[in-house]
Amino acid sequence: MTKKIFWTAPYRSRHESRITTVNGADITVDETIFFAFSGGQESDHGSINGIPVITARRDGLELIYTLPPEHGLTLGQAVTIEIDWDRRHRLMRLHFAAELVLELFYKQHQGIDKVGAHIAQNKARIDFLWPQSIAPLLPALAEEANAIIAANLDIIKGFDDEANERRYWEIAGLSRVPCGGTHVSRTGEIGPLRLKRENIGKGKERVEIYLAD
Ligand SMILES: [Zn+2]
């Protein structure tokens, strides 16, 4: 099974690894920094030995990378994995921004129900089942999220269950949340965030999250 270095070293953008399987265009490696779509967080962009990764996906605890079919990589070959760091860092910041907003919603509005979430490079969104416009809730929520960000709190990460690769993050005194995404070290790294409501109908409300930069 691929060792997920993006958990223990989320700031690494280049990593030496080795090919463990080759199945046509699909390969696996023994260690990886290249995140594959999970929990709503989009996959990294990057390359293996300079060959662009077309898709990265999870299969159980394994990560499978699809390369152009003429990739030429062979079993046991030493390779260098590189990721687009600017993209990853934005994904990490927006991912945690979304988690923070979600936690505050859960704390302040009992019974609110999340029905979807997606983290892209330019914005994150969370969809809720909520019978009326969610807009009136947003100013106070953004203010509280921005206060936690400004306090630059430490974000602790670890395994709840290492064999099954169940991860958590924790901010002391605030929350402890199961999550297999990649996380920033401190809340201040997110920078000020902005919330925007979208009406998506059918009793669902969308909250979009934007970073200041
Ligand atoms: Zn997370």
Side-chain angles (χ1 to χ4, degrees):
M1 166 208 325
T2 310
K3 190 170 180 200
K4 285 120 186 133
I5 304 294
F6 50 70
W7 282 333
T8 47
Y11 293 87
R12 194 169 296 175
S13 61
R14 183 188 169 95
H15 191 72
E16 307 300 321
S17 189
R18 195 167 290 280
I19 305 286
T20 48
T21 67
V22 178
N23 184 6
D26 292 348
I27 62 126
T28 59
V29 292
D30 65 345
E31 297 187 349
T32 193
I33 53 167
F34 199 117
F35 187 79
F37 183 83
S38 174
Q41 181 179 330
E42 290 185 359
S43 295
D44 286 325
H45 289 171
S47 63
I48 297 175
N49 265 14
I51 302 160
V53 173
I54 298 168
T55 60
R57 68 177 195 275
R58 272 184 175 267
D59 182 5
L61 299 182
E62 197 52 86
L63 296 186
I64 298 167
Y65 302 110
T66 304
L67 307 177
E70 65 280 10
H71 61 75
L73 299 175
T74 54
L75 192 62
Q77 185 176 346
V79 290
T80 302
I81 302 173
E82 290 179 281
I83 59 166
D84 176 342
W85 173 250
D86 289 342
R87 171 179 164 81
R88 155 66 86 72
H89 195 216
R90 286 191 62 85
L91 286 169
M92 278 170 45
R93 291 164 65 212
L94 274 162
H95 170 88
F96 205 81
E99 292 201 276
L100 193 54
V101 166
L102 185 61
E103 276 302 293
L104 295 176
F105 264 111
Y106 284 152
K107 282 179 190 297
Q108 294 176 10
H109 303 284
Q110 246 88 75
I112 197 163
D113 207 1
K114 183 190 87 166
V115 291
H118 189 87
I119 320 297
Q121 190 176 335
N122 60 335
K123 66 179 175 186
R125 61 171 163 78
I126 312 171
D127 295 341
F128 295 101
L129 273 183
W130 193 249
Q132 63 270 1
S133 170
I134 209 162
L137 308 184
L138 299 188
L141 215 106
E143 195 178 325
E144 189 168 351
N146 280 322
I148 291 168
I149 289 167
N152 199 23
L153 304 177
D154 195 18
I155 302 165
I156 302 152
K157 285 92 70 173
F159 282 104
D160 276 324
D161 174 355
E162 193 159 1
N164 292 302
E165 299 194 336
R166 295 191 200 288
R167 303 270 302 170
Y168 70 91
W169 64 262
E170 180 173 13
I171 294 176
L174 181 78
S175 287
R176 181 181 166 111
V177 174
C179 181
T182 56
H183 296 108
V184 293
S185 291
R186 304 184 70 83
T187 59
E189 210 173 313
I190 299 165
L193 60 75
R194 188 163 58 80
L195 303 181
K196 183 167 168 281
R197 177 232 181 190
E198 287 286 329
N199 177 10
I200 53 174
K202 296 177 183 156
K204 292 181 194 167
E205 288 283 310
R206 173 166 293 172
V207 176
E208 291 185 336
I209 302 156
Y210 293 89
L211 301 177
D213 51 339

